[in-house]
């Protein structure tokens, strides 16, 4: 899914403000778009007075809050306070949709927004939050990357001490941790996984593989839920969990050494066709979307037809519909998570601390988008066969 133009331009402004002069070619590489696209964005931003343009270079013109808010809105009523800091991971289209959902709610309430993009490095969110607070941020919406348990625990201490109202998006801290009593909005990924398994079982599939990532809270929730749900369904005769991609693990800077499922730590690509044959599986749930599209392409190259030979349900629904065979997908309410988080933050900001009420942990249910990648199996193994 193409990133919204204004969100991409906000990211350009955030990078330029944090680093100073940045080459257009560097911005294009980091944003994963063409140089022509970035050059056009820089020209429009310069025309609006939000940055300065040089020969192949973009330069800042003012502090973060000045360059992250459109000038036409800066004088509207209610815009005399500090901005709301919105912190999301770099190159994470799923959470960009959540951020995009939060924006109209905050702007409608007269709140200015400072978008901060956290690079793919351990502890990247903390300096961004500290800088935002130093610049006068009045509230914080944040979705930490949390690739593993170690990186998650490392954020508990400082994030629990942030001195402004804070809401977590798509993150549910460990029970009993310092962040357990922090406002949060999250998709119910157990229910999303249930929708995928239930759909396949209803079609008659009895042997199902989950190929999933293991480098985010969502990935770990999906893996746990699949194992629990598949084991509890008497109709499911065989199931297994493997890594959807060799780079889908937390990595040496994040990992705590724990594993979920039975996937080996292996750098070779998953041979899904061979696994389906080995397990005599007729269906697969694939997390996330990009990995799902690549695995489906690889199946086609090996002569496995989707859905005739194997039904596929993707998880995330960011680009699943763009596959050559549009993929049935679990669709978490991404934009709605952002909207609910923004509304929860506004509730906190509008009231003194002693009258804001109890901490709220909101869960929103995903939906299942049935497309062309699932159908009843061509043949069903005899119950009890090995």
């Amino acid at each position: 899914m193409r990133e919204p133009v204004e969100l991409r331009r906000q990211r350009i402004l955030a990078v330029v403000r944090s680093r100073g002069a940045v080459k257009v070619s560097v911005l294009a590489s980091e944003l994963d778009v063409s140089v022509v696209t970035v050059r056009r964005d820089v020209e429009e931003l310069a025309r609006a007075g939000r940055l300065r343009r040089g020969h192949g270079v973009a330069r800042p013109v003012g502090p973060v809050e000045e360059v992250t808010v459109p000038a036409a809105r800066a004088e509207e009523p209610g815009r005399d306070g500090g901005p709301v800091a919105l912190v999301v991971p770099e190159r994470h289209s799923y959470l960009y949709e959540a951020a995009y959902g939060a924006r109209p709610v905050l702007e409608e309430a007269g709140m200015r927004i400072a978008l901060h993009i956290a690079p793919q490095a351990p502890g990247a969110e903390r300096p961004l939050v500290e800088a935002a607070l130093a610049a006068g941020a009045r509230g914080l919406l944040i979705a930490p990357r949390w690739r593993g348990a170690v990186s998650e625990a490392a954020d508990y201490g400082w994030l629990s001490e942030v001195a402004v109202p804070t809401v977590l998006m798509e993150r549910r801290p460990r029970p009993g941790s310092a962040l357990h009593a922090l406002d949060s909005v999250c998709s119910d990924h157990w229910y999303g996984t249930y929708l995928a398994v239930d759909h396949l079982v209803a079609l008659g599939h009895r042997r199902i593989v989950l190929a999933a990532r293991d480098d985010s809270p969502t990935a770990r929730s999906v893996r746990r839920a699949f194992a629990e749900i598949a084991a509890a369904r008497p109709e499911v005769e065989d199931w297994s969990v493997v890594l959807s991609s060799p780079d889908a693990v937390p990595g040496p800077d994040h990992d705590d050494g724990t594993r979920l499922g039975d996937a080996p730590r292996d750098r070779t690509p998953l041979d899904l066709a061979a696994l389906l044959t080995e397990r005599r599986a007729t269906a697969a749930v694939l997390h996330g979307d990009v990995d799902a599209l690549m695995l489906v392409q690889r199946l086609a190259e090996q002569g496995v037809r989707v859905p005739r030979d194997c039904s596929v349900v993707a998880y995330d629904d960011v680009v699943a519909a763009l596959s050559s065979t549009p993929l049935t997908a679990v669709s978490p309410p991404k934009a709605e998570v952002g909207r609910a988080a923004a509304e929860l933050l506004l509730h906190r900001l509008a009231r003194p601390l002693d009258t804001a009420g109890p901490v709220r942990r909101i869960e929103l249910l995903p939906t299942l988008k049935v497309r062309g990648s699932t159908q009843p199996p061509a043949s069903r193994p005899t119950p009890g066969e090995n």
Side-chain angles (χ1 to χ4, degrees), residues 258-322:
T258 61
R259 307 296 304 143
L260 291 169
D262 56 1
R265 188 167 307 216
D266 192 345
R267 306 307 297 175
T268 59
L270 170 65
D271 188 344
L272 184 57
L275 178 65
L276 293 172
T277 299
E278 175 189 343
R279 308 298 295 233
R280 295 193 295 117
T282 60
V285 180
L286 307 179
H287 171 268
D289 273 14
V290 173
D291 290 338
L293 264 62
M294 294 181 67
L295 288 170
V296 168
Q297 290 172 6
R298 207 169 295 145
L299 287 176
E301 293 167 359
Q302 296 174 294
V304 179
R305 297 159 295 182
V306 173
R308 181 173 175 178
D309 300 324
C310 176
S311 286
V312 169
V313 178
Y315 200 105
D316 276 355
D317 200 31
V318 176
V319 293
L322 304 181

